[in-house]
Amino acid sequence: MKKHNFYAGPSILPQYTIKNTAEAVLDFAGTGLSIMEVSHRSKEFVAVMDEAQQLFKDLLKIPEGYSVLFLGGGASTQFAMVPFNLLNKKAAYLNTGAWSKKAIKEAQAMGEIEVVASSENKLFNYIPKDYAIPEDADYFHITTNNTIYGTEIKYDLDSPVPLVADMSSDIFSRPVDISKYALIYGGAQKNLAPAGVTFVIIRDDILGKVERKIPTMLNYQTHIDKGSMFNTPPVLPVFAALQTLKWLKQNGGIEAMHKTNEYKAGLLYDEIDRNSLFRATVVEPSDRSLMNICFVMKEGYDGLENAFYDYATAQGMVGIKGHRSVGGFRASTYNALPVESVEALIKTMRDFEESNK
Ligand SMILES: *Cc1c(COP(=O)(O)O)cnc(C)c1O
């Protein structure tokens, strides 16, 4: 039976990425060697790294003065690397979920952290709107898409201080005005590549302003100076990321993805709002994520949760269990998820409603 992959991360990738990476595992660029056994200094892999950085810049329309890095360590290492490199005295953070909280915790070890607003009082089911960003902060940190709770900041906000964003789960899902950000980072395993590579987009001029000594590997400047080749980069995930970037370009780029993402999310939210058995955990339409769509059983139907899970699984739905802190269900609708998978989930929800009315 056809499987519909709704995992939150690692998550669905384009077949184009999977096929080309599988081929390169057997024979990389006609070398007769596997991508797993070639030097990262070989001319064939250097070409992959260069092209991936260039396509990243082209697709996101990254202005002059920014670098694109491919590092190890996951977004979680960035929680510490950001304050290590940018925090002198004080930084501001918006607390919109578990990932924001982890970022805040790491930063607190390095300076004064002002949490300008938090949606924790309502289990992070909305994006706080009324807050002031302190002008004396070294930077302001946001998580644009809250993978666990299904909320998203779908616009580029104005900040009087350098804006830093964790875009792990919505990079390449919508057009972004990069010039409004000083630094964007994310684990690539949500919308771009297999696990193992972390992307960083950084405006070069924000560095060099802190007094602390920064360990070599945690210093962005190290990686900028060496084009992400200071140490061995995650070779295979970078190769796979390049395939996804090519696929994005061939399929109309970010604008086209965004249209399809809005269409897919619209279909699913409409069904959740219509269906008598379910309700969306995020009520405010402007806060609803295009990438992670969370829903639970409506009051009075809690007892059907396991039954729906089993039924959906039998229909080929994979990875729709909600995060343990929210419960219910979460359908992740990343770029590579086809419209037909969303339609299959909707049919499953309708059929289940029919037989349980
Ligand atoms: C998954 C995720 C992370 C953690 O990424 P790792 O690469 O596992 O460290 C951080 N932030 C967000 C928004 C995420 O979705």
Side-chain angles (χ1 to χ4, degrees):
M1 184 205 294
K2 179 164 173 48
K3 299 281 187 185
H4 300 282
N5 183 355
F6 292 98
Y7 274 126
S11 37
I12 189 163
L13 290 170
Q15 277 304 308
Y16 178 88
T17 299
I18 293 169
K19 281 199 182 115
N20 288 354
T21 306
E23 276 172 25
V25 165
L26 298 174
D27 181 3
F28 166 53
T31 56
L33 304 174
S34 169
I35 183 79
M36 297 190 293
E37 56 177 4
V38 294
S39 166
H40 60 296
R41 312 265 177 216
S42 67
K43 72 175 191 315
E44 290 84 2
F45 183 72
V46 169
V48 166
M49 180 61 99
D50 289 347
E51 191 179 0
Q53 288 173 351
Q54 193 53 50
L55 259 183
F56 215 95
K57 289 182 175 174
D58 293 349
L59 285 163
L60 284 167
K61 301 189 174 72
I62 299 178
E64 286 291 303
Y66 286 78
S67 299
V68 171
L69 307 176
F70 295 117
L71 310 176
S76 300
T77 299
Q78 296 306 308
F79 297 161
M81 229 165 132
V82 164
F84 234 121
N85 284 264
L86 304 182
L87 176 54
N88 255 324
K89 273 188 117 144
K90 171 173 159 178
Y93 278 70
L94 185 63
N95 181 15
T96 54
W99 297 117
S100 299
K101 276 175 84 169
K102 288 187 176 169
I104 290 166
K105 182 165 173 269
E106 290 302 300
Q108 278 167 339
M110 276 168 267
E112 178 194 344
I113 301 304
E114 182 174 331
V115 178
V116 298
S118 166
S119 47
E120 191 162 15
N121 59 335
K122 290 191 176 173
L123 197 61
F124 298 116
N125 70 0
Y126 68 101
I127 299 287
K129 307 271 165 18
D130 294 321
Y131 55 83
I133 304 165
E135 307 222 354
D136 61 343
D138 294 321
Y139 63 87
F140 176 47
H141 180 284
I142 57 173
T143 312
T144 49
N145 186 63
N146 299 284
T147 323
I148 294 174
Y149 305 95
T151 60
E152 185 176 10
I153 303 171
K154 289 180 277 193
Y155 49 89
D156 304 309
L157 52 82
D158 293 304
S159 168
V161 298
L163 182 60
V164 175
D166 175 355
M167 291 198 189
S168 291
S169 49
D170 62 347
I171 190 79
F172 292 112
S173 69
R174 65 171 176 90
V176 170
D177 180 356
I178 302 289
S179 70
K180 289 199 162 177
Y181 299 83
L183 194 154
I184 297 170
Y185 66 85
Q189 69 274 19
K190 310 275 164 61
N191 214 5
L192 189 64
V197 60
T198 310
F199 64 85
V200 179
I201 304 164
I202 182 168
R203 207 175 71 214
D204 300 335
D205 69 9
I206 58 166
L207 295 175
K209 293 176 184 162
V210 294
E211 276 145 37
R212 73 173 62 80
K213 275 216 153 46
I214 307 173
T216 309
M217 273 298 285
L218 296 186
N219 192 333
Y220 289 118
Q221 198 64 54
T222 303
H223 302 288
I224 292 173
D225 291 346
K226 298 287 181 184
S228 297
M229 291 278 207
F230 171 75
N231 72 322
T232 318
V235 171
L236 187 140
V238 169
F239 178 88
L242 172 59
Q243 307 315 306
T244 304
L245 295 168
K246 286 182 175 176
W247 175 83
L248 275 166
K249 190 173 173 184
Q250 286 164 16
N251 286 279
I254 297 179
E255 276 79 11
M257 282 303 138
H258 185 222
K259 265 203 186 128
T260 311
N261 290 333
E262 285 196 312
Y263 177 68
K264 288 186 297 189
L267 287 180
L268 189 49
Y269 282 118
D270 282 352
E271 173 59 18
I272 296 166
D273 291 343
R274 183 209 63 77
N275 196 302
S276 57
L277 301 183
F278 304 101
R279 69 173 171 84
T281 56
V282 180
V283 176
E284 175 59 43
S286 65
D287 292 349
R288 286 178 167 180
S289 171
L290 297 184
M291 297 280 96
N292 310 98
I293 298 173
C294 297
F295 55 104
V296 293
M297 304 310 300
K298 253 193 195 145
E299 221 132 276
Y301 294 103
D302 289 351
L304 288 175
E305 184 169 316
N306 289 337
F308 177 70
Y309 180 77
D310 293 343
Y311 179 69
T313 303
Q315 308 309 308
M317 308 300 138
V318 180
I320 61 162
K321 225 185 191 58
H323 189 270
R324 60 190 178 280
S325 60
V326 182
F329 305 97
R330 168 176 54 176
S332 297
T333 50
Y334 295 119
N335 285 346
L337 185 85
V339 173
E340 58 162 308
S341 288
V342 173
E343 289 168 345
L345 176 57
I346 289 171
K347 181 174 186 313
T348 300
M349 293 165 74
R350 288 190 178 156
D351 291 349
F352 188 75
E353 180 191 30
E354 250 339 282
S355 50
N356 285 280
K357 270 216 268 236

